[in-house]
Each structure stands twice: as structure tokens, then as C-alpha cells.
């Protein structure tokens, strides 16, 4: 089998690893309301199952137009401190937030990637980015990074998209729980506030 000297075709990842990671993510989401713990588990499982350098999950702040880091595995502190990720300056994220997976073969010289110099210093080459969607609305993105030129297959894209959907579900559940708890506390304060705070 021949391969292009500039692109290394990734060997198909193990479906068993993918099933295990999906099962673990679903189990974690169903058994915990600790959102930080759930999202950290998702990015860690993704990195290991896809055999990539790193995975990160960012949520969109609609007030600032920035994607704020919520969970990450495999990236250095110096890379994470490179600066804010602005949707208007990051074509890869803008495209993903419109609902489509985006693949960048080489982030070191692709104009769609906001921090090309930082990617080179970090040893990042290929990037795959998918949207996190809740009720049809994109609320963030999930990315995986490789340290060598990589071709992602359809199975890889589907796997990452499913995990992103599970992460989005966890986020939605956590927000719903927080709203219910706040409403409950508000009702209790209204009922008992005068007795609790004379």
C-alpha cells in the first residue's frame, strides 16, 4: 500500500475502543450531576479512544463571542494561555458552530486556524472540530488534535460527533438541574424567609 509522503493515513481506530468510550461517557453522564467531572471524563476518553494528542471542549459565551474552555486533556498550560478564542477570528469554529464537522489537515499553516504559531510550538498538526448542539442550537465545539498529519475517517467523525452530543446532553441536564434547584430555593425562601431571617 502506498501513501502520500505529506499525509499519513491513520490506521482505523478500534471500534472496541470507541464502544468502550461511548459506554463510559454514557455511564458517567447518567450517574453524575458534576458537570466538570463529566466533561473531563469525556475529553479524556475521547483522547484515548481516538489515539490523538489532545481533546478540548469549549462553550460559546454569547455575550463576548468567545469560546471558553470547559474541559481539556493533553494540551500544555502555555498553549492554553495563548489567548482568547474568538469566533469571528476562528473560521474553524465559526463553521463548526453552523452545524458541520470541520477538518484541518495542518493547523500550522491553515488560515482557518486562529493561533497557527502556537499550534506549531505545541506540536499540533491535524485538527478535527465538531459542534455541540442542544435542541438544534450550537452551544460550543469539541476538537481533537494530532501531533502528526492524520486522515480522519467517517467512523472517527461520527464517534466524535456522538460524544459531542453526549457532552451537550450533560450540559443541558446540568443547566436544567441548576434551574430547578434555583426555583426550589426561591420558593423555599419565599415560604420560610421571614422565619429564617427575622
Amino acid at each position: 500500500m502506498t501513501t502520500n509522503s505529506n499525509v499519513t493515513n491513520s490506521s482505523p481506530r478500534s471500534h472496541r475502543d470507541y464502544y468502550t468510550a461511548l459506554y463510559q461517557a454514557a455511564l458517567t453522564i447518567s450517574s453524575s450531576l458534576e458537570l466538570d467531572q463529566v466533561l473531563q471524563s469525556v475529553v479524556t476518553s475521547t483522547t484515548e479512544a481516538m489515539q490523538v494528542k489532545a481533546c478540548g471542549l469549549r462553550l460559546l459565551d454569547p455575550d463576548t463571542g468567545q469560546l471558553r474552555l470547559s474541559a481539556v486533556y493533553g494540551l500544555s498550560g502555555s498553549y492554553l494561555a495563548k489567548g482568547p478564542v474568538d469566533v469571528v477570528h476562528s473560521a474553524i469554529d465559526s463553521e463548526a458552530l453552523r452545524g458541520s464537522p470541520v477538518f484541518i489537515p495542518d493547523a500550522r499553516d491553515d488560515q482557518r486556524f486562529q493561533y497557527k504559531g502556537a499550534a506549531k510550538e505545541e506540536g499540533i498538526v491535524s485538527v478535527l472540530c465538531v459542534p455541540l448542539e442542544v435542541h438544534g442550537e450550537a452551544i460550543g465545539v469539541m476538537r481533537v488534535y494530532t501531533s502528526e498529519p492524520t486522515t480522519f475517517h467517517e467512523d472517527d467523525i461520527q464517534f466524535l460527533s456522538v460524544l459531542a452530543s453526549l457532552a451537550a446532553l450533560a450540559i443541558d441536564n446540568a443547566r436544567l438541574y441548576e434551574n430547578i434547584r434555583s426555583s426550589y430555593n426561591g420558593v423555599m425562601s419565599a415560604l420560610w424567609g421571614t422565619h429564617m431571617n427575622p
Side-chain angles (χ1 to χ4, degrees):
M1 184 177 73
T2 59
T3 58
N4 186 307
S5 60
N6 294 321
V7 177
T8 301
N9 288 323
S10 58
S11 58
R13 285 93 180 162
S14 166
H15 283 183
R16 178 176 295 178
D17 289 343
Y18 281 2
Y19 294 146
T20 300
L22 287 171
Y23 173 77
Q24 184 61 48
L27 191 64
T28 303
I29 289 169
S30 64
S31 63
S32 175
L33 286 170
E34 295 296 328
L35 184 60
D36 290 346
Q37 175 188 337
V38 170
L39 297 183
Q40 191 59 47
S41 175
V42 168
V43 297
T44 301
S45 297
T46 301
T47 304
E48 294 171 349
M50 295 189 73
Q51 301 169 32
V52 292
K53 172 183 173 62
C55 178
L57 188 152
R58 289 180 177 272
L59 295 180
L60 178 64
D61 182 337
D63 294 329
T64 63
Q66 293 181 354
L67 286 160
R68 302 196 179 279
L69 189 67
S70 293
V72 65
Y73 181 83
L75 294 176
S76 69
S78 59
Y79 180 77
L80 297 175
K82 64 191 180 302
V85 176
D86 297 304
V87 174
V88 294
H89 297 130
S90 179
I92 179 177
D93 295 311
S94 297
E95 190 174 340
L97 288 169
R98 289 195 291 270
S100 300
V102 184
F103 170 58
I104 291 185
D106 194 336
R108 298 168 297 183
D109 60 10
D110 194 306
Q111 294 304 312
R112 293 174 294 171
F113 202 79
Q114 186 178 356
Y115 293 100
K116 295 182 290 295
K120 186 173 182 179
E121 291 180 10
E122 183 72 6
I124 292 170
V125 182
S126 299
V127 180
L128 177 63
C129 181
V130 299
L132 273 76
E133 295 181 313
V134 171
H135 309 303
E137 178 184 354
I139 61 169
V141 299
M142 191 167 169
R143 294 183 186 178
V144 291
Y145 308 80
T146 72
S147 56
E148 60 184 23
T150 302
T151 297
F152 290 103
H153 302 278
E154 187 61 31
D155 284 353
D156 304 320
I157 297 171
Q158 289 181 353
F159 170 73
L160 187 61
S161 296
V162 170
L163 271 175
S165 296
L166 288 174
L169 177 63
I171 293 164
D172 194 37
N173 286 344
R175 289 175 174 173
L176 180 61
Y177 171 74
E178 186 58 37
N179 287 340
I180 291 173
R181 188 173 69 170
S182 296
S183 297
Y184 173 80
N185 289 340
V187 169
M188 290 299 100
S189 294
L191 287 173
W192 306 105
T194 53
H195 298 288
M196 295 170 62
N197 301 297

